[in-house]
Amino acid sequence: MQKKQLLKFLPLLTTALLSIQCAHLKNNITGMETKHADSSLYVTLDGSQRYQIDQPIMIEFKVTNSNPDTLSFCQYDTPFENMVSKFLQVENGKGEEVKYMGPMARRVMPPPAETYHKIAPGGSKTITFDLKKGYPIAKAGKYTIHYIGDTINGLISKKGLSITVMDGK
């Protein structure tokens, strides 16, 4: 009987423990945000101006360190961990959001050391990814892409990317 009662309270206990962990993590992230906001790790998106609808849409994601110190960032919510989360805001020419349709990763918190990438002063780290692996671009037209990321990595993005997708005919 005691085992059944314990099982009833297990979800509540799990929720309480996760809330405590998240509150602790939020406090740590808030400190990291301030640090990273001052640390000057910037994201830029680059790619071709025009793409064919029946071809991949290859986008370059670049993180640049404009600080005189070596800095690091967590790969969570970036293409450095592949397309396993919504880290972009993609809109068509009418301002309608193109919904993220890729996988959503479950992650270990706090992030393990191997999920961090170091960038030397004045250096950068670049990766290219196919936008279509997470966003169903099925119609020709103009699209805007903005990096939205997450507070866990503290990356700053000042400018989006505008592209035109053309009918393949």
Side-chain angles (χ1 to χ4, degrees), residues 30-103:
T30 303
M32 286 173 59
E33 272 185 272
T34 303
K35 180 181 174 192
H36 284 295
D38 296 332
S39 69
S40 306
L41 283 175
Y42 295 97
V43 170
T44 54
L45 299 173
D46 199 9
S48 175
Q49 295 283 322
R50 299 185 189 287
Y51 295 90
Q52 295 293 323
I53 193 72
D54 58 346
Q55 298 293 316
I57 298 176
M58 302 306 292
I59 305 294
E60 180 184 89
F61 183 93
K62 183 177 185 180
V63 180
T64 303
N65 179 2
S66 62
N67 194 286
D69 300 317
T70 296
L71 300 173
S72 62
F73 69 94
C74 180
Q75 71 184 18
Y76 289 1
D77 295 320
T78 73
F80 288 102
E81 68 169 346
N82 296 315
M83 293 290 282
V84 295
S85 66
K86 179 185 177 189
F87 56 84
L88 298 171
Q89 177 76 34
V90 180
E91 294 180 349
N92 64 20
K94 296 177 185 175
E96 300 166 334
E97 181 180 359
V98 177
K99 300 285 186 192
Y100 175 73
M101 301 301 286

Side-chain angles (χ1 to χ4, degrees), residues 48-58 92 98 130-133 135-143 163-169:
S48 175
Q49 295 283 322
R50 299 185 189 287
Y51 295 90
Q52 295 293 323
I53 193 72
D54 58 346
Q55 298 293 316
I57 298 176
M58 302 306 292
N92 64 20
V98 177
D130 182 0
L131 183 68
K132 286 185 168 184
K133 292 201 176 197
Y135 296 85
I137 308 291
K139 294 181 181 177
K142 293 187 182 286
Y143 292 87
I163 62 170
T164 300
V165 177
M166 301 176 295
D167 201 351
K169 297 176 184 176

